[in-house]
């Protein structure tokens, strides 16, 4: 019996991008369904009644919500190739810790960079750069957070790179200047086919951010 | 002595529900460990060394290697010591366990703790009470067996120790009754079963000390208005 895999997603979502990358890394065929977040499909509401959010991975009719949980599920089920989590329990714990750190720091703080002004924005700038620098430190001399190849933390983090033009323009920061190694890592990641074919263009995401800012009245 | 069991240390605080989770998991697996009570007002060099990112407890230190964040620690414990598994073996069941534990942290713990901290803001407090009730309602509907883990306690039950022990305390301290047996019959029954579990019973902190600690904190918040 062939597997049926569906991804309910929204193209600029960094969380959706994580699942796209994981599926691509494992060579899994799936159906991509674009959701209109102002008009959520009955399928989305049925598959994620608790949060009513994307992304949702549906495997043979069973839904998995929360991107990092979905990526771990993919890694555990399709365990024959491209492992995303290391096999050693301690290394796994560190990968989970840093992926969780990305969740706690990058999305919310990044959002504040393009939605806030004045003191709040200044605070966000400081926090964002600190987080990037800490991640850069954690990367160290490794090619990827996963070592020689893409791992769980890389998958968790690289999608946010597509939002950097927006973060930098509206947040008035220059990430390359502050953390050149971080940008070098990001550029290495997007050379990987599973990553590049899963991520939208930075310019396209930037235009999306410009639209949202108008809609929510940030100018 | 097994290589897995050389030196296990837990940096914690007896008042913390997150530390409690780790203690239950360690005891469930029969792991010997040293508990180091941290003074969170004056953080020790050891805590700062082992958790430089958040400077918080719990931190599990196994053979000098630290792990932080309670749910990450629980997964590590389950993967390292295989007896009495706390996560299911089926990948889909595991995702459900992870989903609900995250739900408890993001929705129930967060809002309930804010109920204490918003003592001086009536509107914010009401909002957080509402959010707690809504999240508890969702969890109430989810509970199908004796425990979230089925016949035996598992990952979600351990994560939910906050609901069984700390939420009733929050109610007593604030005088706000939002987690009632009337509204949440299944969760209340679950609480009783959970708190009576032989391992859990011995690893929750003494109620009086916990109450005194949080009441003092609460009173100081009111006084600072």
């Amino acid at each position: 019996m062939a597997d049926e895999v569906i991804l309910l997603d929204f193209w600029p979502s960094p969380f959706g991008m994580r699942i796209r990358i994981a599926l691509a890394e494992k060579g899994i065929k799936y159906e991509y369904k674009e959701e209109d977040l102002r008009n959520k499909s009955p399928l989305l509401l049925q598959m994620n009644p608790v949060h009513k959010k994307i992304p949702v991975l549906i495997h043979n009719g069973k839904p998995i919500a929360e991107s990092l949980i979905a990526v771990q599920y993919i890694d555990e089920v399709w365990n024959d190739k491209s492992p995303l989590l290391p096999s050693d329990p301690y290394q796994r714990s560190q990968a989970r810790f840093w992926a969780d750190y990305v969740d706690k720091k990058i999305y919310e703080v990044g959002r504040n960079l393009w939605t806030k002004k004045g003191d709040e924005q200044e605070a966000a700038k400081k926090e964002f750069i600190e987080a990037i620098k800490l991640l850069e430190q954690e990367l160290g001399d490794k090619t990827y957070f996963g070592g020689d190849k893409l791992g769980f933390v890389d998958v968790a983090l690289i999608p946010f790179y597509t939002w950097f033009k927006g973060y930098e323009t509206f947040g008035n920061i220059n990430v390359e200047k502050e953390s050149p190694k971080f940008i070098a890592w990001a550029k290495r990641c997007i050379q990987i086919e599973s990553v590049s074919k899963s991520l939208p263009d930075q310019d396209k995401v930037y235009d999306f951010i410009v639209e949202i800012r108008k809609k929510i009245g940030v100018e | 002595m097994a290589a897995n069991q050389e030196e296990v240390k837990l940096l914690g605080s007896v008042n913390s529900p997150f530390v409690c989770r780790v203690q239950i998991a360690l005891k469930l697996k029969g792991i010997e460990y040293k508990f180091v009570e941290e003074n969170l007002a004056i953080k020790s060099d050891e805590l700062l060394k082992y958790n430089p990112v958040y400077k918080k407890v719990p931190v599990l230190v196994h053979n000098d290697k630290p792990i932080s964040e309670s749910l990450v620690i629980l997964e590590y414990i389950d993967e390292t010591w295989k007896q009495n598994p706390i996560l299911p073996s089926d990948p889909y069941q595991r995702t459900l366990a992870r989903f609900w534990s995250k739900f408890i942290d993001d929705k129930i713990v967060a809002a309930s703790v804010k109920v204490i901290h918003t003592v001086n803001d009536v509107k914010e407090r009401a909002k957080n009470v509402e959010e707690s009730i809504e999240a508890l309602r969702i969890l109430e509907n989810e509970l199908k067996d004796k425990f979230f883990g089925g016949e035996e306690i598992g990952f979600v039950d351990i994560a939910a120790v906050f609901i069984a022990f700390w939420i009733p305390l929050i109610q007593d301290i604030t005088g706000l009754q939002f987690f009632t047996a009337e509204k949440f019959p299944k969760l209340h029954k679950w609480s009783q079963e959970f708190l009576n579990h032989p391992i859990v019973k011995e690893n929750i902190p003494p109620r009086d000390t916990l109450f005194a600690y949080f009441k003092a904190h609460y009173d100081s918040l009111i006084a600072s208005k």
Side-chain angles (χ1 to χ4, degrees), chain B residues 190-207:
Chain B
W190 164 84
S191 276
Q192 276 164 2
E193 295 276 6
F194 181 70
L195 294 175
N196 273 323
H197 184 284
I199 300 286
V200 176
K201 205 161 32 175
E202 281 171 21
N203 288 289
I204 45 179
R207 203 178 199 269

Side-chain angles (χ1 to χ4, degrees), chain A residues 63 76 90 92 96 104, chain B residues 66 69 75 79 92 94 98:
Chain A
E76 287 175 15
Y90 187 71
R92 290 161 76 83
R96 289 184 175 121
K104 284 178 160 78
Chain B
E69 294 302 295
E75 295 228 28
E79 287 176 4
Y92 190 71
R94 290 158 75 83
R98 288 174 178 138

Side-chain angles (χ1 to χ4, degrees), chain B residues 2-194:
Chain B
N4 278 348
Q5 220 165 319
E6 264 154 38
E7 203 201 291
V8 184
K9 201 173 359 183
L10 175 62
L11 309 185
S13 154
V14 85
N15 301 314
S16 161
F18 306 104
V19 171
C20 188
R21 289 170 173 176
V22 178
Q23 300 226 75
I24 293 172
L26 289 168
K27 284 277 156 66
L28 209 58
K29 301 228 180 209
I31 299 157
E32 300 269 323
Y33 65 99
K34 182 177 169 205
F35 184 83
V36 178
E37 178 76 25
E38 287 288 333
N39 177 350
L40 299 177
I42 309 168
K43 296 178 181 185
S44 70
D45 288 342
E46 201 177 36
L47 178 60
L48 298 176
K49 169 180 149 192
Y50 284 134
N51 190 0
V53 176
Y54 299 118
K55 308 175 178 51
K56 284 183 180 181
V57 293
V59 183
L60 186 75
V61 186
H62 182 204
N63 294 334
D64 218 36
K65 293 188 293 193
I67 305 114
S68 305
E69 294 302 295
S70 64
L71 298 183
V72 174
I73 297 172
L74 290 188
E75 295 228 28
Y76 176 78
I77 289 172
D78 209 37
E79 287 176 4
T80 305
W81 292 280
K82 309 277 193 191
Q83 64 276 26
N84 300 337
I86 55 185
L87 270 165
S89 49
D90 170 70
Y92 190 71
Q93 295 303 317
R94 290 158 75 83
T95 68
L96 294 180
R98 288 174 178 138
F99 177 87
W100 288 109
S101 304
K102 186 176 199 298
F103 178 83
I104 287 168
D105 268 357
D106 292 348
K107 299 289 173 187
I108 298 177
V109 176
S112 308
V113 166
K114 283 188 193 151
V115 168
I116 295 247
H117 291 133
T118 52
V119 59
N120 296 320
D121 184 338
V122 175
K123 219 170 122 201
E124 270 303 300
R125 160 169 280 199
K127 183 177 140 218
N128 284 302
V129 170
E130 253 318 296
E131 281 181 24
S132 303
I133 290 174
E134 185 47 44
L136 285 164
R137 193 174 289 143
I138 291 173
L139 198 66
E140 169 87 6
N141 286 338
E142 191 48 34
L143 186 54
K144 302 205 168 41
D145 298 306
K146 185 175 174 192
F147 297 115
F148 289 99
E151 279 303 301
E152 247 307 317
I153 65 173
F155 199 74
V156 181
D157 302 280
I158 297 172
V161 68
F162 177 86
I163 299 170
F165 201 67
W166 272 262
I167 287 189
L169 215 69
I170 291 173
Q171 295 195 124
D172 287 350
I173 290 168
T174 60
L176 293 168
Q177 298 297 313
F178 56 94
F179 177 53
T180 60
E182 195 183 25
K183 278 200 192 123
F184 302 100
K186 290 199 277 178
L187 279 175
H188 263 261
K189 186 156 180 279
W190 164 84
S191 276
Q192 276 164 2
E193 295 276 6
F194 181 70

Side-chain angles (χ1 to χ4, degrees), chain A residues 39-87:
Chain A
N39 186 19
K40 294 175 182 181
S41 73
L43 183 62
L44 174 57
L45 299 177
Q46 182 199 353
M47 291 286 139
N48 191 0
V50 174
H51 300 299
K52 305 174 177 57
K53 284 184 176 178
I54 57 90
V56 182
L57 181 74
I58 309 172
H59 181 207
N60 295 334
K62 294 188 292 195
I64 302 108
E66 297 300 312
S67 60
L68 293 182
I69 294 177
V71 171
Q72 285 187 84
Y73 175 79
I74 290 167
D75 204 40
E76 287 175 15
V77 173
W78 287 274
N79 54 14
D80 51 338
K81 74 180 270 204
S82 305
L84 295 170
L85 275 158
S87 48

Side-chain angles (χ1 to χ4, degrees), chain A residues 95-113:
Chain A
R96 289 184 175 121
F97 175 86
W98 286 105
D100 176 68
Y101 179 83
V102 173
D103 263 3
K104 284 178 160 78
K105 290 286 175 184
I106 303 297
Y107 179 68
E108 282 304 320
V109 179
R111 191 167 198 278
N112 288 341
L113 287 175

